[in-house]
Amino acid sequence: MPNQLTYRDVFRFVPNLIGYTRVLLTGAAAMSMYYRCPTSMFLSYALSELLDAADGHYARKLGQCSKFGEVLDMVTDRCTTTILLTYLAELYNSRPLALLFNLITVLDISSHYMQMYSQLITGKTNHKQMDADAHWILRAYYTDRRVLFAFCFGNEAFFLLLYVNKFIASSAALYFSVALTLLAFPLFLIKNTINVIQLYESAKDLAKLDAATLNSQNKTASAAASRKKI
């Protein structure tokens, strides 16, 4: 009989060790932001985002997929993006942009939380599992890892380039960086459109579940009342 796993074994899964590394890199990126070390910030943040693809790869390859790892990955993603958007709101010193960055943060957190909660409460194994009747955009986004990586990478690259553009001294380098920012913009736009769809579809799934539950309760109550009359 094989040895039984303990929670400590799950904590030591390779993809989860990668997840802890991402947390440390996010902390290093945040510290670099506020201590005005843009090179260190760029390297830490970019490496954290690249490792985001590695943890899932090794989880599947080594048979080490876990609920803890899924939540660790999602929480790290949300915290990493929130830290950068919060700093961008300060860095650009513009009320309209600060409002926009805050709205993007709210959309990012709420859409993913709603998606995870609705998937789990309706019996799915994780928030990326899509039924045949799921919205076609969400199916394409979550079932093809290349599509998922492209939009997530493009979205984070757009935010990171907005940060980098504020610290580039060379005109030629700035032109190149701005060009990359413009190339990443459509990916950012589509990714956040997907977040809006995800938020609505998840809310709809929860409301459908509520309606079905209440209809069942009302039917049971009506049947009980009818028996009492008899």
Side-chain angles (χ1 to χ4, degrees):
M1 182 177 178
N3 293 331
Q4 297 295 305
L5 292 173
T6 69
Y7 71 90
R8 291 187 180 88
D9 295 317
V10 176
F11 283 165
R12 290 192 290 265
F13 280 179
V14 170
N16 295 338
L17 295 178
I18 294 173
Y20 308 146
T21 304
R22 289 191 64 211
V23 171
L24 293 175
L25 287 168
T26 299
M31 185 174 294
S32 300
M33 285 181 208
Y34 287 97
Y35 282 91
R36 296 281 174 155
C37 302
T39 302
S40 174
M41 184 277 171
F42 176 83
L43 293 174
S44 299
Y45 197 96
L47 182 55
S48 176
E49 291 306 313
L50 290 174
L51 288 177
D52 188 24
D55 58 3
H57 169 75
Y58 282 104
R60 292 183 294 272
K61 182 178 180 180
L62 301 175
Q64 294 183 343
C65 298
S66 63
K67 297 296 181 189
F68 170 72
E70 289 174 12
V71 175
L72 175 64
D73 180 60
M74 175 177 278
V75 169
T76 304
D77 287 343
R78 305 288 73 76
C79 290
T80 302
T81 305
T82 298
I83 288 170
L84 179 52
L85 287 172
T86 301
Y87 188 77
L88 288 176
E90 176 184 327
L91 184 64
Y92 275 81
N93 194 28
S94 163
R95 287 183 181 178
L97 286 177
L99 177 60
L100 177 61
F101 291 137
N102 278 279
L103 290 175
I104 293 169
T105 302
V106 169
L107 175 62
D108 185 51
I109 294 172
S110 60
S111 65
H112 283 85
Y113 177 81
M114 188 83 80
Q115 171 76 356
M116 173 170 274
Y117 187 81
S118 67
Q119 293 293 77
L120 293 178
I121 204 170
T122 52
K124 308 295 192 306
T125 56
N126 62 68
H127 74 285
K128 296 178 182 177
Q129 184 180 344
M130 293 288 125
D131 289 334
D133 60 346
H135 195 287
W136 68 271
I137 289 179
L138 295 181
R139 275 205 317 276
Y141 178 68
Y142 278 117
T143 57
D144 190 326
R145 295 189 185 96
R146 293 167 300 179
V147 173
L148 179 64
F149 176 79
F151 285 114
C152 289
F153 180 82
N155 186 60
E156 294 299 327
F158 178 73
F159 296 142
L160 188 55
L161 286 165
L162 287 178
Y163 169 84
V164 169
N165 291 344
K166 280 290 189 178
F167 295 94
I168 296 177
S170 165
S171 297
L174 181 59
Y175 288 144
F176 179 70
S177 184
V178 169
L180 290 178
T181 307
L182 293 174
L183 286 174
F185 178 74
L187 296 174
F188 149 78
L189 202 59
I190 294 171
K191 172 66 171 70
N192 284 277
T193 301
I194 291 171
N195 282 348
V196 172
I197 295 170
Q198 179 172 263
L199 180 63
Y200 173 74
E201 290 295 318
S202 301
K204 186 173 71 175
D205 288 343
L206 288 172
K208 283 182 177 178
L209 180 62
D210 287 333
T213 301
L214 291 170
N215 288 335
S216 177
Q217 290 173 351
N218 292 336
K219 185 177 180 180
T220 301
S222 297
S226 298
R227 285 195 298 270
K228 284 182 179 180
K229 289 179 182 179
I230 294 172

